[in-house]
Amino acid sequence: MPKHEYFDRKLCISVDAEGYGRRDDRAQQDMQGALLRILAAAAGRAHLDRATWTRQGIGDEELSLIPLGPSEPLVVDDLPRQLDAELSRVNCGRPPDNRIRLRVAMNVGVAYPADNGFAGQGVVVVSRLLNSTPVRRALKVAPSANLALIVSAGLFDDVVCQGHTTLGPGDFRRVDIAEKEYQGHAWLRVPGVDVSALDLSAAADRTAEATEPAGTASAAAEPADRADGATAPTPPAAAVTNKFHGEVDARYATFGFSGGARG
């Protein structure tokens, strides 16, 4: 068999929904259906034919191989815009913990169907981009955003930098990627958010992960500072008063007293 038998280059798109694992079984089933409807609606509005895509779905993820050609600018430019609009429509009225939010990665490279999925470095790279720290962190620290998009350097150079989209380099932010065996850089975009202003540091990530409601941080643990710079006194412990009615046999009891508010 010729060595070039399986060689093919494709535009690879990988999509993953945030928070899938924390949902119960029925909610996961509902999310899978919603994800497919969202992708189909957005692709249709971007004038992309999903029937020409080779798709592989795994729960809350979809990996697609798309033929190269005139559709590339539409995929990079129009598809994320339509995804953002469709997610806004679907999420309208949903509580924050039930919103559907996506990470989307794009790359061009060698990719083709294999015995148990897809093979080729194009697929490997798009998967590493999708699971990289910068795109995960961007979605986490921008809670108002519906999606975070990360585009490989080669695709960015060919499609965005050469003026084939309505987007410009300033709409993206360069990020370094170190994910498993992949080392390189890519370009990050968060529709509706100034991506250059996002704090993508590890400290910001930890802050976003904090589950403690605002206003409840250790106010009771440490006395607050007064406006004059002095430390406010710690309020006395609440006094406890025992009242006895009738005789009490306390021959084997032990009583302890502290100064408290009464000295």
Side-chain angles (χ1 to χ4, degrees):
M1 183 177 295
K3 290 185 178 181
H4 60 76
E5 178 74 17
Y6 296 115
F7 184 88
D8 198 3
R9 287 175 60 83
K10 298 288 188 182
L11 174 54
C12 308
I13 303 179
S14 191
V15 178
D16 185 88
E18 180 192 55
Y20 179 79
R22 67 170 178 258
R23 301 171 190 250
D24 64 26
D25 295 350
R26 291 296 302 274
Q28 289 181 0
Q29 181 178 356
D30 291 343
M31 177 178 274
Q32 289 187 26
L35 176 63
L36 292 179
R37 291 190 295 272
I38 289 166
L39 291 172
R45 293 194 179 98
H47 305 289
L48 294 166
D49 183 5
R50 272 169 62 84
T52 65
W53 301 9
T54 305
R55 296 156 40 204
Q56 175 182 281
I58 308 174
D60 62 330
E61 299 182 35
E62 182 177 281
L63 174 59
S64 301
L65 307 185
I66 303 175
L68 298 182
S71 66
E72 291 178 56
L74 296 177
V75 171
V76 176
D77 191 348
D78 292 43
L79 181 60
R81 183 177 294 110
Q82 296 300 335
L83 276 174
D84 185 34
E86 187 63 21
L87 286 165
S88 292
R89 186 190 68 79
V90 170
N91 288 328
C92 182
R94 287 180 178 237
D97 61 349
N98 196 36
R99 291 171 58 211
I100 298 176
R101 307 173 75 222
L102 302 178
R103 300 192 321 278
V104 182
M106 299 180 179
N107 177 49
V108 169
V110 175
Y112 49 86
D115 293 334
N116 194 34
F118 296 142
Q121 287 302 306
V123 174
V124 172
V125 171
V126 80
S127 298
R128 299 297 178 257
L129 295 180
L130 182 73
N131 292 302
S132 65
T133 297
V135 70
R136 286 182 177 274
R137 193 168 286 163
L139 198 60
K140 191 173 293 183
V141 301
S144 65
N146 290 316
L147 67 92
L149 168 69
I150 189 163
V151 178
S152 67
L155 183 59
F156 178 82
D157 289 344
D158 290 346
V159 177
V160 178
C161 290
Q162 297 305 316
H164 297 295
T165 68
T166 63
L167 302 168
D171 295 306
F172 293 78
R173 172 176 174 174
R174 175 173 167 151
V175 291
D176 293 323
I177 306 296
E179 184 68 22
K180 294 187 176 180
E181 75 288 343
Y182 180 76
Q183 303 279 335
H185 74 273
W187 293 87
L188 183 67
R189 179 175 175 247
V190 182
V193 174
D194 181 2
V195 66
S196 63
L198 292 179
D199 184 356
L200 299 181
S201 66
D205 197 17
R206 289 191 295 270
T207 299
E209 288 176 347
T211 57
E212 187 175 45
T216 62
S218 64
E222 297 182 7
D225 289 343
R226 297 193 324 211
D228 59 5
T231 300
T234 302
V240 177
T241 303
N242 292 319
K243 293 183 179 181
F244 303 97
H245 301 279
E247 293 185 357
V248 176
D249 185 354
R251 285 176 293 176
Y252 303 104
T254 301
F255 296 93
F257 300 92
S258 61
R262 298 175 181 270

